[in-house]
C-alpha cells in the first residue's frame, strides 16, 4: 500500500488534531494555573512496540516530545514483565530517571486497542502544583536527594480496564499540600486520554487501521530523510562550545556543560563527555532529559522537520554514565529546567560555528521558579508557584523577542491577573528591563522586572534560578545579555542570595516586596553592524539607555551626533 501525498497530508493533520484536542481538554479542565494558564503539559501518540514518538501536539511543551518516548517505554517494559494489559488501562508515574524531567511532571499512559490488538499508546504529561517534598511547589534548591523533592511513583495502574483505583488516588492526595488541585489535574489528564481514544476510533473507522499504521511509518521516514538532508548541508567538522551553571545550590562552584558536535555527511554526533560529573544539588538530569533537550535545540535550527522519532535517527549521543547529564536515582533532579536550558545554549553556540545563518543568540536561560507559601487567615494553605519570562536571542533576521518564554516550551507566562486572583500577592511592577538585551546587529530581547508584595501576614519564599553569574551569550559576534538579579528585604535594606540565583528558607511579612530582574537574550552579529535607525528606535522606546547605546554602539552614536 502506498499513501498519496494529499492523503498523507490530510492524515498528518488529523493525527496532530487529536493530540491538539487532548492538549486543549487538559488546559481547560486543569485546576492549577501552571497547566491551565501556562500550558506546562503535553500529549501525543506513541509506537505500540518501541514507545517512539509518532505524533505530538503543537500546544504542549516540546521538551516532552523526547522524554515522553522514554516514559512510554517504561510502561512497555512494565507490561512485558507483569502482563495483564487490558483495554481501558491507564498507567501513572513520575519517575524522572525512566521517564525524564522531574517529580512534578506526572505521566499518564493509556493503550489504544483496535480489533483486540494493541495499535499504539496515548500519553499525557502535566506539571502538578505540589507533589510533597521539603519545598512547596517542589523546586527545592537545597535538595541533595530526590526524596527531598517530592513523592516518587513508579509505573502503576491508576485505572484497570476502565475502573479507577481509588487507593492510588488516596495515596497521591495524601502526599500533596494541595490535594484538590492534584485531583483536578489528574482527572483532566484522564479526560484528555478518553477524548483521544474517541478521536482515534473515529479516524480508524474512516480510514482503517492499515492506512493509519502506514501513515505513522511514512511520517517517521520522511522526518528522518529531511533531517539527514538538513545535516548534509552543514560543513563536515567538529564544532565545540561550553557554558556554565552558576552552582548546584549546595556548593557555590560553577558546573560546566560542554559539547562537541561531530558532523560527517548525513549524520551528527553530540558528545557531552567534557561536562561536569554528577553534583550534590538538584541540577542533575537523566539521560532521557538530556536527549530531549538536544531535540528541542535542533528543532529550533531545523524548523521544517516534523516532530516525531524520525528526526533523531541520524543523530547519536555520547553522554557518559558519570555525568550530571546522566543522573541515576536518587540524585536530585528538581531543577532540570535550568540544566536543559544550558544544554540548548551549547547546541546553539556550537552550531553557530557551522551554520551562523540558522542559529539564534542564546535566550535568557532560566525559568526563575519562584515559590511562595503560607496560610490564609482562615487557616487554608496556599502555595504560589510560577515561572517568569526573559529575553530571547537575536536572530539572523530580527531582534529577539522581549519578555518571552524559555525555548524549552511553547508555554505562556501566567498573566498577572491570574496570579493576583489566585494568591495573596500584589505586583507593583511588571515591566521590561532596559539594557538587558545583548548588543548586536540584531539585539537580544529584553528581560523583565517583576516586583511583588505580600498581602498575607507571612510567607516562606524559595527561588530556583540561573544566569546569576554567567550571562546569556550572543552568537556570530553578538554580545552577552544582562544577568539575573533577585533582591529581597532584610533589616538593613535589601540583599541578594549568596548563591546568586538560588534561595531557600527566606521568610517575609505582610508588605514586604521581592524583586526579580530577569536576563535578556544574547545578541546576533556584530554591534558595529546595527543600523543607526534601529538604535534610535531602541532609545525612543526606552529599550536601551543613552549610556548603554554609547557603550555598545559608539561608532553609530558618534555619527548620529555629527
Amino acid at each position: 500500500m502506498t499513501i498519496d501525498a494529499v492523503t498523507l497530508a490530510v492524515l498528518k493533520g488529523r493525527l496532530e488534531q487529536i493530540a491538539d484536542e487532548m492538549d486543549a481538554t487538559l488546559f481547560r479542565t486543569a485546576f492549577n494555573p501552571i497547566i491551565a494558564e501556562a500550558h506546562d503539559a503535553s500529549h501525543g501518540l506513541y509506537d505500540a512496540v518501541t514507545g517512539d514518538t509518532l505524533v505530538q501536539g503543537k500546544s504542549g511543551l516540546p521538551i516532552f516530545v523526547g522524554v515522553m518516548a522514554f516514559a512510554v517505554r517504561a510502561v512497555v517494559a512494565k507490561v512485558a514483565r507483569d502482563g495483564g494489559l487490558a483495554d481501558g488501562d491507564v498507567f501513572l508515574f513520575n519517575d524522572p530517571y525512566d521517564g525524564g524531567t522531574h517529580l512534578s511532571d506526572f505521566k499518564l499512559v493509556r493503550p489504544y486497542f483496535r480489533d483486540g490488538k494493541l495499535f499504539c499508546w496515548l500519553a499525557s504529561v502535566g506539571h502538578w502544583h505540589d507533589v510533597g517534598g521539603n519545598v512547596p511547589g517542589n523546586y527545592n534548591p537545597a535538595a541533595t536527594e530526590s526524596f527531598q523533592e517530592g513523592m516518587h511513583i513508579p509505573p502503576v495502574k491508576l485505572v484497570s480496564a476502565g475502573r479507577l483505583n481509588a487507593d492510588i488516588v488516596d495515596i497521591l492526595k495524601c502526599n500533596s499540600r494541595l490535594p484538590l488541585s492534584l485531583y483536578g489535574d489528574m482527572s483532566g489528564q484522564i479526560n484528555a486520554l478518553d477524548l483521544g481514544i474517541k478521536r482515534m476510533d473515529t479516524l480508524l473507522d474512516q480510514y482503517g487501521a492499515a492506512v493509519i499504521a502506514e501513515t505513522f511509518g511514512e511520517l517517521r521516514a520522511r522526518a528522518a530523510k529531511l533531517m539527514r538532508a538538513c545535516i548534509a548541508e552543514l560543513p563536515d567538522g567538529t564544532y565545540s562550545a561550553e557554558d556554565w551553571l552558576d552552582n548546584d545550590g549546595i556548593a557555590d562552584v560553577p558546573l560546566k556543560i560542554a559539547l562537541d558536535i561531530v558532523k560527517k555527511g548525513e549524520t551528527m554526533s553530540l558528545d557531552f563527555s567534557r561536562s561536569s560529573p554528577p553534583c550534590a544539588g538538584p541540577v542533575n538530569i537523566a539521560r532521557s532529559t538530556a536527549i530531549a533537550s538536544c531535540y528541542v535545540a535542533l528543532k529550533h535550527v531545523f524548523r521544517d522537520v516534523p516532530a516525531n522519532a524520525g528526526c533523531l535517527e541520524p543523530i547519536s549521543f555520547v553522554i557518559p554514565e558519570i555525568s550530571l547529564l546522566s543522573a541515576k536515582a536518587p540524585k536530585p533532579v528538581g531543577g532540570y529546567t535550568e540544566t536543559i536550558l544550558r544544554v540548548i545554549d551549547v547546541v546553539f553556540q556550537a552550531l553557530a560555528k557551522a551554520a551562523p545563518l540558522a542559529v539564534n543568540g542564546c535566550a535568557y536561560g532560566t525559568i526563575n521558579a519562584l515559590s511562595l507559601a503560607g496560610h490564609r487567615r482562615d487557616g487554608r494553605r496556599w502555595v504560589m508557584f510560577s515561572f517568569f519570562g526573559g529575553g530571547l536571542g537575536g536572530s539572523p533576521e530580527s531582534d529577539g523577542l522581549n519578555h518571552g518564554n524559555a525555548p524549552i516550551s511553547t508555554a505562556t507566562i501566567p498573566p498577572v491577573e491570574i496570579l493576583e486572583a489566585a494568591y495573596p500577592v500584589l505586583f507593583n511592577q511588571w515591566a521590561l528591563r532596559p539594557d538587558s538585551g545583548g548588543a548586536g546587529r540584531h539585539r537580544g530581547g529584553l528581560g523583565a522586572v517583576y516586583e511583588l508584595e505580600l498581602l498575607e501576614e507571612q510567607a516562606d519564599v524559595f527561588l530556583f534560578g540561573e544566569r546569576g553569574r554567567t550571562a546569556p551569550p550572543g552568537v556570530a559576534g553578538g554580545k552577552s545579555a544582562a544577568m539575573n538579579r533577585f533582591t529581597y528585604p532584610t533589616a538593613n535594606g535589601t540583599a541578594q542570595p549568596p548563591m546568586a540565583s538560588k534561595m531557600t528558607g527566606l521568610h517575609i511579612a505582610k508588605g514586604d516586596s521581592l524583586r526579580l530582574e530577569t536576563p535578556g537574550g544574547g545578541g546576533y552579529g556584530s554591534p558595529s553592524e546595527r543600523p543607526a535607525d534601529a538604535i534610535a528606535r531602541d532609545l525612543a522606546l526606552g529599550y536601551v539607555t543613552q549610556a548603554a547605546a554609547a557603550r555598545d554602539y559608539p561608532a553609530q552614536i558618534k555619527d548620529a551626533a555629527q
Side-chain angles (χ1 to χ4, degrees):
M1 183 189 304
T2 301
I3 301 177
D4 65 88
V6 173
T7 302
L8 183 65
V10 170
L11 291 175
K12 177 178 180 291
R14 287 283 297 272
L15 289 164
E16 289 176 349
Q17 179 66 20
I18 292 172
D20 289 343
E21 284 194 65
M22 289 193 287
D23 283 343
T25 298
L26 179 57
F27 298 157
R28 293 174 183 175
T29 57
F31 280 32
N32 99 72
I34 298 302
I35 296 178
E37 297 293 335
H39 296 177
D40 193 346
S42 187
H43 297 82
L45 310 177
Y46 301 85
D47 187 85
V49 177
T50 66
D52 288 345
T53 303
L54 299 172
V55 175
Q56 185 76 17
K58 296 185 291 295
S59 301
L61 268 64
I63 189 63
F64 290 139
V65 175
V67 296
M68 283 304 288
F70 288 89
V72 174
R73 285 171 202 157
V75 173
V76 171
K78 176 180 175 58
V79 171
R81 290 191 309 266
D82 301 345
L85 184 65
D87 196 359
D89 285 350
V90 177
F91 296 84
L92 170 145
F93 70 113
N94 69 339
D95 188 328
Y97 311 101
D98 242 354
T101 66
H102 59 174
L103 293 172
S104 298
D105 294 334
F106 266 79
K107 293 90 175 173
L108 274 65
V109 180
R110 178 171 177 173
Y112 175 69
F113 284 86
R114 187 70 175 180
D115 298 326
K117 295 181 180 180
L118 179 63
F119 185 79
C120 68
W121 298 89
L122 279 65
S124 169
V125 56
H127 180 116
W128 292 4
H129 203 154
D130 184 272
V131 296
N134 287 9
V135 169
N138 308 116
Y139 266 83
N140 181 3
T144 56
E145 54 184 3
S146 61
F147 303 109
Q148 299 163 342
E149 297 179 312
M151 54 179 160
H152 186 162
I153 307 298
V156 294
K157 275 191 184 182
L158 174 66
V159 181
S160 296
R163 182 176 180 180
L164 182 69
N165 189 331
D167 288 344
I168 291 178
V169 177
D170 290 343
I171 292 170
L172 295 171
K173 290 169 62 179
C174 188
N175 281 277
S176 173
R177 297 172 179 85
L178 301 169
L180 182 61
S181 175
L182 179 151
Y183 184 77
D185 294 343
M186 181 195 68
S187 299
Q189 289 182 262
I190 293 173
N191 291 335
L193 293 174
D194 286 344
L195 179 71
I197 295 293
K198 293 177 182 177
R199 295 292 185 263
M200 286 294 292
D201 281 341
T202 301
L203 183 64
L204 269 70
D205 286 345
Q206 182 176 355
Y207 286 92
V211 172
I212 302 304
E214 184 176 356
T215 299
F216 287 150
E218 185 64 22
L219 291 175
R220 175 171 182 156
R222 292 189 179 212
K225 182 178 180 180
L226 184 54
M227 180 60 87
R228 288 191 178 94
C230 290
I231 293 172
E233 293 179 358
L234 303 177
D236 286 356
T238 300
Y239 306 97
S240 301
E242 58 185 45
D243 208 330
W244 303 86
L245 295 167
D246 293 344
N247 50 57
D248 68 351
I250 304 299
D252 199 5
V253 176
L255 299 167
K256 182 167 68 174
I257 308 294
L259 171 63
D260 299 302
I261 295 179
V262 180
K263 186 270 174 181
K264 185 176 181 181
E266 296 182 340
T267 63
M268 192 161 58
S269 171
L270 277 62
D271 187 343
F272 290 92
S273 297
R274 297 187 295 111
S275 300
S276 292
C279 57
V283 293
N284 302 285
I285 61 176
R287 177 185 171 85
S288 56
T289 309
I291 292 173
S293 54
C294 292
Y295 162 83
V296 173
L298 293 169
K299 274 288 291 175
H300 276 80
V301 179
F302 307 122
R303 299 175 180 86
D304 295 330
V305 181
N308 64 53
C311 65
L312 292 182
E313 284 187 13
I315 299 169
S316 60
F317 297 90
V318 180
I319 306 174
E321 290 291 313
I322 307 301
S323 170
L324 88 164
L325 306 180
S326 187
K328 304 292 188 298
K331 279 290 183 183
V333 295
Y336 89 100
T337 49
E338 310 306 295
T339 307
I340 64 175
L341 286 169
R342 207 61 67 251
V343 170
I344 293 172
D345 287 344
V346 295
V347 173
F348 281 4
Q349 293 171 63
L351 284 178
K353 299 173 183 178
L357 296 179
V359 180
N360 300 340
C362 295
Y364 63 106
T366 175
I367 71 164
N368 272 319
L370 180 64
S371 301
L372 283 77
H375 291 84
R376 298 184 185 272
R377 291 176 180 84
D378 60 6
R380 287 181 297 130
R381 188 70 177 267
W382 65 275
V383 177
M384 171 185 158
F385 167 80
S386 189
F387 48 82
F388 295 89
L392 302 189
S395 78
E397 298 179 357
S398 66
D399 292 344
L401 178 68
N402 296 330
H403 190 222
N405 210 336
I408 58 174
S409 75
T410 53
T412 60
I413 300 156
V416 60
E417 296 85 358
I418 295 296
L419 294 176
E420 289 184 339
Y423 310 113
V425 298
L426 173 68
F427 281 86
N428 292 316
Q429 189 169 7
W430 183 294
L432 295 179
R433 181 186 180 187
D435 296 338
S436 56
R441 173 157 53 100
H442 293 142
R443 172 184 46 74
L446 301 186
V449 178
Y450 305 93
E451 187 170 300
L452 66 151
E453 176 185 341
L454 179 66
L455 301 181
E456 276 290 359
E457 293 304 314
Q458 66 83 36
D460 298 321
V461 180
F462 309 88
L463 176 70
F464 203 132
E466 267 293 332
R467 288 298 190 196
R469 297 254 168 83
T470 306
V475 299
K479 301 301 180 182
S480 296
M483 290 188 286
N484 209 11
R485 188 169 186 267
F486 177 71
T487 54
Y488 56 90
T490 70
N492 300 314
T494 59
Q496 294 179 252
M499 289 280 189
S501 54
K502 300 174 183 66
M503 189 78 186
T504 185
L506 174 62
H507 307 287
I508 60 173
K510 184 176 182 179
D512 285 344
S513 292
L514 306 171
R515 183 179 177 88
L516 183 61
E517 299 172 51
T518 68
Y524 180 91
S526 172
S528 65
E529 299 173 355
R530 186 162 180 79
D533 61 344
I535 299 170
R537 180 176 180 274
D538 286 345
L539 288 166
L541 292 173
Y543 292 170
V544 175
T545 63
Q546 192 70 45
R551 177 194 67 211
D552 295 331
Y553 310 105
Q556 296 94 315
I557 295 296
K558 181 179 179 181
D559 289 344
Q562 293 177 348

